[in-house]
Amino acid sequence: MNITTGKATKEVAWWEGCEILGGRDEVGGGTWLACSRKGRVAFLTNVLELHTLPEAKSRGDLPVLFLESTKSPKEFAEELVEEAHHYNGFNLIVADISSKKMVYVSNRPKGQAVTIQEVSLGIHVLSNAKLDSPWPKAQRLGQKFKELLCQYSEGEIPLKIMAEKLMRDRVKAEVSRLPGICSIDWEFNLSSIFVEVDTPLGCYGTRSTAALTVTTNGEVSFHERYLEKEKWKEHTVNYHIQKLK
């Protein structure tokens, strides 16, 4: 997963006073991707839209709320429906590894019912539109992941290689294939998997690339390559999911 933002973020680490492992938004305090010792995982993308509400609740709080709860992914999603309109457009995935359940939630398009969808087995790609929307970079990423799976066949793909080969791709989409939501120039700059744009307010782009894997015996590896003081650093955190009593 790539986190693309102009705001400061903290690298992946265990959060003080709780059992959450993930990156952190230094402004809002939430996260875009995190997991817990109990085998819960949540991640979030913003929906690309022309107008947003400045007074909306922070979307980064949503993964944290799930990780701190004891509700199943479906129960959490159904309860979120009543509050979903208080947030700007979001795509949220909540999963419980122990029960092998994963649910997708989105509060867009505006004016329509909140989407709650159980995620099926297989390869899925989530960008800044609906789950598996055929955006050029989403299709490119899905194809490159399939190629990587074929390359390693039955073997395990090294996390560092997965993050590097899949998420550092700077190829941009053809203008004719852009969704036409915002200005063409802005959409073109955002159309690559890895984003790097100079703006009047400074550099906007990918600050963190993460790869998260879980083995059948509950071993979790969370690899991150992140930007700190204009230098790229990387680390991997490993842990074992706690068995529920």
Side-chain angles (χ1 to χ4, degrees), residues 115-135:
T115 298
I116 298 178
Q117 171 189 333
E118 189 161 329
V119 182
S120 61
L121 294 175
I123 297 173
H124 300 273
V125 181
L126 180 63
S127 183
N128 301 103
K130 288 279 190 180
L131 181 66
D132 296 322
S133 288
W135 280 21

Side-chain angles (χ1 to χ4, degrees), residues 32-51:
W32 54 93
L33 167 64
C35 50
S36 75
R37 291 192 186 276
K38 293 182 179 179
R40 295 165 77 82
V41 180
F43 56 94
L44 174 93
T45 67
N46 297 341
V47 174
L48 181 65
E49 49 192 354
L50 190 58
H51 301 292

Side-chain angles (χ1 to χ4, degrees), residues 91-103:
N91 295 304
L92 175 68
I93 297 284
V94 289
D96 185 333
I97 303 301
S98 300
S99 64
K100 298 181 181 179
K101 296 294 184 182
M102 179 181 288
V103 172

Side-chain angles (χ1 to χ4, degrees), residues 34-180:
C35 50
S36 75
R37 291 192 186 276
K38 293 182 179 179
R40 295 165 77 82
V41 180
F43 56 94
L44 174 93
T45 67
N46 297 341
V47 174
L48 181 65
E49 49 192 354
L50 190 58
H51 301 292
T52 58
L53 300 173
E55 70 275 14
K57 290 185 175 182
S58 174
R59 291 168 285 198
D61 291 340
L62 295 173
V64 182
L65 290 172
F66 173 72
L67 295 173
E68 291 180 337
S69 78
T70 58
K71 298 180 177 67
S72 71
K74 188 175 181 181
E75 289 171 341
F76 180 84
E78 290 173 344
E79 190 171 285
L80 179 58
V81 169
E82 294 183 6
E83 297 292 321
H85 66 282
H86 292 300
Y87 299 87
N88 284 315
F90 69 80
N91 295 304
L92 175 68
I93 297 284
V94 289
D96 185 333
I97 303 301
S98 300
S99 64
K100 298 181 181 179
K101 296 294 184 182
M102 179 181 288
V103 172
Y104 164 67
V105 192
S106 180
N107 65 345
R108 291 296 184 269
K110 285 183 179 179
Q112 295 186 18
V114 173
T115 298
I116 298 178
Q117 171 189 333
E118 189 161 329
V119 182
S120 61
L121 294 175
I123 297 173
H124 300 273
V125 181
L126 180 63
S127 183
N128 301 103
K130 288 279 190 180
L131 181 66
D132 296 322
S133 288
W135 280 21
K137 67 177 176 182
Q139 291 182 321
R140 183 176 177 83
L141 180 58
Q143 182 58 41
K144 292 185 72 173
F145 184 58
K146 290 176 185 176
E147 291 171 0
L148 200 59
L149 287 177
C150 291
Q151 180 182 339
Y152 281 85
S153 187
E154 299 299 319
E156 184 175 331
I157 306 173
L159 282 176
K160 185 175 179 179
I161 290 177
M162 186 189 302
E164 184 68 26
K165 287 195 172 184
L166 298 181
M167 308 307 292
R168 302 289 292 177
D169 190 334
R170 289 177 166 82
V171 174
K172 291 182 170 57
E174 296 176 8
V175 172
S176 62
R177 296 191 63 200
L178 298 176

